[in-house]
Amino acid sequence: MKLYPTIGLETHAELMTESKLFCSCSAKFGGEENEHCCIGCSGFPGAIPSLNKKALELIVRAGFALDCKISRFTKWERKNYFYPDLPAAYQVSQMERPVCVGGGLEIEAGGETKTIRLNRIHLEEDAGKLNHVGGKSLADYNRTGVPLIEIVTEPDFHSAEEVVAYVEKLRQILQYGDICDGKMEQGSLRCDVNISLAPFGSEKLGTRTEIKNLNSIKAIGRAIAAEIERQTDLLENGEAIIQQTLRFDDATGEIIPMRTKEDAHDYRYFPDPDIPPVVLSEEEIERFRQALPELPGIRLKRYVNDFKLAEKDAVIILNDKRVSDFYDAAVAVHNNPKTLANFIVVELLRRVNLGEADMGALPFSPADFADLQRSVDEGKLNRDVRKDVLREMLESGKSPGQICDEGDLWLKEDSGAVEAVINKVLEANPKAVEQYRNGEVKVFGFLMGQASKELKGSAAPATVKNILESKLKGE
């Protein structure tokens, strides 16, 4: 019996706000345990919540970025459950009237293009974090109350590959929209995956399970594969699938049951009496739409159509918003998009991949990078020397001009100085000179290399070649 997986996704994205959703405590990641807490986000009774308007703007931005319908009327409910990371014993969320409804995201997976439909995007507060130390569980409520959006898909996925493609593209859109920083390692973007198996061609879905809090692209793919394998083994052995909540152990690759999976009625949703509904005007919605930055799809078209980049290079630059922003800033200084893109893709990102550079902490500005490439484009610096200058910029933070001045690296226009160096090389290598004049022209490359080494890239290769040839011919 061939079994067919059906998968739905709930993605939780922490919004890029300074403060929490219903209080003025800092939403910044980290800090000492329970440093960013007040009586409101710590669950003390009697605290009156106050809605963070920036969070409302960011969810509307997300709705526009994902082609959702924006609700003019929205309200909040209390989602009731008891767990130590939830000090109030309820989570403020949205059930009946979410801010964003519908929408979709087009993905490419398995050589095919398909659209993943969205059910909704709603706004809610995050829970705290439990730290397990020495057999005890300690609650840190710094994250409690941080504004989240939950992006809920329809069950449109049928493979781990499709889910991974969706999460990667969604993460990129949220980053470019300045909605969520997408730092999965810090938990600011994490996914709950719902999976069910049914016989191929069956209209009825199987019993679904949910894997909670997957916080890396790799873990999402591995967890889905592991759960599909687990459910397949059970069904092929005649056992039933239990509707339950699971967790994935990234170290062992195991799926571990946590609790029986709840349905919506188990949470006893009811309207939050302390938070009034919000009615958004058309003017406000339009203002939020206008604040949406350039999204990756639009930026890709600009790179290909306006900058004339090869699409593969444009995609490489777009894969990391920090790289793309750096590139745009460099182009604003030196308007040669193609040579700058090539320099970034071939050289700068190579050093990033080797761990020699961090795009989040470069010791030089995009303007310095642009100036280095401008020196090459204007014939003032040897193209090969450019790599050495970049390495020195990474190590010292000095400007390219300062490095070239100190190292005497600028291309020399004084042919007399170049000729003097070539004479020195020829005098030091009489055997090679004789071989060349006897017809062994292959030694020319050796002599050219020796001359370039002595000149340290400070002369144009064409100039060196012409003078060397002239000298060897006795002219």
Side-chain angles (χ1 to χ4, degrees):
M1 177 176 63
K2 185 177 180 181
L3 297 170
Y4 190 61
T6 298
I7 304 168
L9 209 64
E10 299 166 6
T11 305
H12 299 86
E14 290 186 359
L15 299 179
M16 294 172 64
T17 60
E18 294 293 327
S19 58
K20 295 185 179 181
L21 186 54
F22 295 113
C23 69
S24 60
C25 291
S26 171
K28 184 178 179 181
F29 175 78
E32 295 295 325
E33 288 82 357
N34 298 304
E35 178 183 359
H36 307 310
C37 296
C38 68
I39 60 171
C41 55
S42 297
F44 283 75
I48 302 300
S50 179
L51 177 64
N52 186 329
K53 292 182 179 179
K54 183 65 175 181
L56 196 61
E57 175 185 339
L58 294 184
I59 189 175
V60 173
R61 271 196 213 178
F64 279 119
L66 296 167
D67 295 326
C68 302
K69 178 183 177 182
I70 309 301
S71 303
R72 288 197 56 192
F73 176 85
T74 187
K75 64 176 185 174
W76 281 264
E77 287 88 19
R78 292 183 179 181
K79 179 181 179 181
N80 297 274
Y81 66 94
F82 178 77
Y83 202 69
D85 64 2
L86 198 67
Y90 65 83
Q91 178 189 37
V92 178
S93 184
Q94 295 186 305
M95 179 66 177
E96 292 185 5
R97 300 298 293 267
V99 178
C100 307
V101 179
L105 184 59
E106 188 178 271
I107 64 166
E108 293 184 11
E112 296 182 357
T113 299
K114 69 182 292 186
T115 297
I116 303 300
R117 296 170 299 153
L118 300 185
N119 177 281
R120 56 157 59 198
I121 307 177
H122 62 260
L123 187 59
E124 64 185 22
E125 58 181 354
D126 205 348
K129 181 181 179 182
L130 296 181
N131 296 319
H132 306 289
V133 182
K136 298 180 180 179
S137 294
L138 305 176
D140 180 3
Y141 294 135
N142 276 341
R143 201 172 66 186
T144 306
V146 169
L148 285 178
I149 54 172
E150 183 173 337
I151 305 167
V152 183
T153 76
E154 299 292 354
D156 287 349
F157 303 98
H158 298 291
S159 70
E161 183 182 3
E162 291 179 352
V163 175
V164 167
Y166 167 87
V167 174
E168 288 178 333
K169 189 167 183 179
L170 176 64
R171 179 172 179 248
Q172 188 182 59
I173 288 172
L174 295 177
Q175 289 176 323
Y176 274 85
D178 290 335
I179 298 162
C180 171
D181 63 22
K183 295 178 180 178
M184 300 186 78
E185 71 281 2
Q186 295 182 1
S188 61
L189 187 74
R190 52 195 190 272
C191 298
D192 300 340
V193 181
N194 294 276
I195 303 174
S196 68
L197 264 60
F200 190 82
S202 172
E203 295 184 0
K204 184 179 179 181
L205 297 179
T207 302
R208 67 188 172 99
T209 59
E210 181 179 39
I211 310 173
K212 299 286 285 186
N213 291 327
L214 297 169
N215 63 354
S216 77
I217 300 292
K218 185 177 180 181
I220 290 169
R222 292 178 64 215
I224 291 171
E227 177 57 9
I228 289 175
E229 182 180 359
R230 187 187 75 88
Q231 288 193 25
T232 299
D233 289 344
L234 289 172
L235 293 172
E236 288 181 346
N237 289 321
E239 300 181 51
I241 304 297
I242 300 172
Q243 181 173 314
Q244 58 186 338
T245 298
L246 312 167
R247 76 175 176 87
F248 176 67
D249 189 320
D250 205 16
T252 64
E254 293 180 298
I255 298 291
I256 302 170
M258 293 172 62
R259 59 182 181 272
T260 301
K261 180 166 173 54
E262 303 89 348
D263 289 314
H265 63 266
D266 294 317
Y267 292 116
R268 295 179 294 114
Y269 284 95
F270 67 86
D272 193 301
D274 295 329
I275 307 172
V278 170
V279 178
L280 290 168
S281 68
E282 293 295 341
E283 291 76 16
E284 282 179 304
I285 292 174
E286 178 59 20
R287 179 163 55 84
F288 294 158
R289 187 186 71 81
Q290 292 288 347
L292 183 64
E294 185 181 47
L295 295 176
I298 298 172
R299 198 175 286 201
L300 176 63
K301 290 179 181 178
R302 175 163 62 85
Y303 286 176
V304 173
N305 297 335
D306 298 346
F307 290 174
K308 308 301 181 185
L309 300 189
E311 186 168 335
K312 63 180 180 63
D313 290 338
V315 168
I316 291 171
I317 291 171
L318 282 164
N319 277 340
D320 188 330
K321 184 175 183 292
R322 297 171 302 177
V323 176
S324 183
D325 289 345
F326 182 91
Y327 172 64
D328 278 351
V331 171
V333 174
H334 175 48
N335 189 21
N336 195 332
K338 295 188 78 171
T339 59
L340 282 168
N342 179 266
F343 193 17
I344 286 174
V345 171
V346 173
E347 193 59 32
L348 181 59
L349 292 184
R350 181 179 71 85
R351 295 186 182 278
V352 170
N353 293 333
L354 289 172
E356 297 175 7
D358 178 359
M359 287 305 303
L362 291 176
F364 53 82
S365 68
D368 285 335
F369 186 83
D371 285 342
L372 175 57
Q373 182 59 46
R374 192 208 315 270
S375 298
V376 175
D377 292 341
E378 293 179 352
K380 297 177 180 178
L381 187 69
N382 187 298
R383 180 185 177 87
D384 292 333
V385 173
R386 178 189 63 172
K387 296 187 290 186
D388 297 327
V389 176
L390 178 63
R391 184 182 65 249
E392 178 65 23
M393 288 167 65
L394 287 167
E395 293 174 354
S396 69
K398 294 178 180 178
S399 71
Q402 183 180 357
I403 293 169
C404 291
D405 288 341
E406 292 175 352
D408 191 24
L409 302 176
W410 298 114
L411 285 173
K412 293 180 173 61
E413 297 181 3
D414 183 356
S415 60
V418 176
E419 186 175 349
V421 171
I422 290 175
N423 286 336
K424 178 182 175 183
V425 169
L426 297 179
E427 289 172 5
N429 297 278
K431 183 177 179 181
V433 173
E434 183 180 356
Q435 287 175 311
Y436 179 85
R437 289 173 174 167
N438 288 334
E440 295 183 39
V441 294
K442 64 182 181 180
V443 299
F444 183 84
F446 166 74
L447 293 169
M448 182 75 179
Q450 293 298 304
S452 297
K453 182 178 179 181
E454 287 292 328
L455 288 162
K456 299 178 181 178
S458 63
T463 301
V464 178
K465 180 175 180 292
N466 291 336
I467 295 176
L468 181 58
E469 284 179 339
S470 177
K471 288 288 180 181
L472 287 170
K473 292 176 182 177
E475 297 176 355

